[in-house]
Amino acid sequence: MKIAVMGAMPEEIAPILEKLETYLTIEYAGNKYYEGSYNGIDVVVAYSKIGKVFSTLTATTLIEHFGCEKLLFSGVAGAINSELKVGDLIVATKLSQHDLDITAFGHPYGYVPEGAVYVEANRELIDISKDVAQSLGKKVREGIIATGDQFVANEERKNWIGDTFGADALEMEGGSVAVVCDALNVPFFILRAISDAADMDASFSFDEFLETSAVESAEFVMKMLEVIATK
Ligand code: ADE
């Protein structure tokens, strides 16, 4: 079993690479991929760069070129749900693309023909995350994550995304990774730790909490790998 562990930014995968004893660095398609093992499981770690296009390329490469059979994503997100505070963890039950808009043709936001507004994450992996949360005494909220090629720092836009998609958090890669994994039949899991509230202070909050929140998320994903290794 080979598992992809993916982030979007260097800060999101640095705590993951720290936990691997040794790894091989492979350059491919304008990116670096780190092959190693963790608790006896083969892993390929990569950060995609920000946004839907780069994350699509990286997720596809991890699956099609490196042969990964599951994908775990770790990173940070902006909170929509006011119960989510900086450092809190959210697991995506399903994901949508908030900036996909052909409503001019009568379609709902986030939908294109032969696609779907939402892509569901793998239930087995979500259940493992619940067990891990319990064993660590941590709270992990299940919720809907909306993805778009926009850093949202605007209350009005954030509320629109929340109202339109029922989303609890937003970020810039999960929805595209979900589309790739769903199309290629690879079970996937998207975890995010909150770095900001997607409001007018979001860029400051993001800069302040990116590293600590990325560590929260990464450490949790590594615990999940430990459980997956025993199955
Ligand atoms: N990732 C973390 N915070 C974000 C925000 N406010 N907008 C988009 N992506 C994010």
Side-chain angles (χ1 to χ4, degrees):
M1 167 74 62
K2 205 189 254 189
I3 300 188
V5 187
M6 183 179 162
M9 301 175 71
E11 292 85 349
E12 291 173 332
I13 66 155
I16 293 162
L17 291 178
E18 264 174 34
K19 298 228 185 244
L20 307 185
E21 275 174 18
T22 57
Y23 52 82
L24 219 76
T25 304
I26 295 147
E27 294 205 18
Y28 186 83
N31 211 348
K32 286 199 177 89
Y33 292 83
Y34 305 95
E35 270 195 311
S37 85
Y38 185 68
N39 280 35
I41 298 189
D42 290 337
V43 293
V44 187
V45 180
Y47 77 89
S48 57
K49 300 186 279 287
I50 294 166
K52 294 197 296 180
V53 173
F54 285 127
S55 57
T56 297
L57 172 62
T58 299
T60 306
T61 301
L62 283 163
I63 295 165
E64 291 288 283
H65 184 75
F66 288 95
C68 293
E69 296 151 278
K70 285 188 192 338
L71 187 150
L72 309 181
F73 190 106
S74 175
V76 302
I80 299 176
N81 187 324
S82 59
E83 286 176 21
L84 283 169
K85 305 295 180 204
V86 167
D88 286 355
L89 291 167
I90 174 162
V91 166
T93 51
K94 55 184 186 175
L95 301 102
S96 62
Q97 297 179 63
H98 66 71
D99 58 351
L100 187 54
D101 179 359
I102 56 163
T103 55
F105 297 92
H107 295 297
Y109 286 105
Y111 178 86
V112 291
E114 298 180 48
V117 175
Y118 298 101
V119 178
E120 285 188 20
N122 181 259
R123 187 28 73 180
E124 235 174 90
L125 291 172
I126 296 174
D127 286 344
I128 291 174
S129 77
K130 283 177 156 175
D131 295 344
V132 167
Q134 201 175 12
S135 72
L136 295 175
K138 280 192 187 260
K139 216 178 132 199
V140 180
R141 174 183 285 270
E142 285 184 28
I144 297 173
I145 291 184
T147 299
D149 282 327
Q150 258 173 13
F151 183 85
V152 178
N154 175 308
E155 201 89 36
E156 206 181 311
R157 176 73 188 161
K158 153 177 133 167
N159 291 336
W160 180 86
I161 294 168
D163 294 343
T164 306
F165 297 97
D168 297 288
L170 54 84
E171 36 82 311
M172 301 179 70
E173 298 84 19
S176 39
V177 170
V179 169
V180 169
C181 292
D182 184 57
L184 297 172
N185 281 317
V186 167
F188 72 94
F189 173 80
I190 311 276
L191 180 73
R192 297 279 185 169
I194 299 301
S195 56
D196 60 85
D199 56 9
M200 62 186 287
D201 298 323
S203 56
F204 305 103
S205 181
F206 181 89
D207 281 344
E208 188 173 352
F209 297 111
L210 166 63
E211 258 178 65
T212 49
S213 292
V215 167
E216 275 294 320
S217 177
E219 287 187 345
F220 192 93
V221 158
M222 295 313 269
K223 288 279 175 212
M224 282 187 64
L225 273 181
E226 288 169 24
V227 173
I228 293 168
T230 65
K231 296 210 179 257

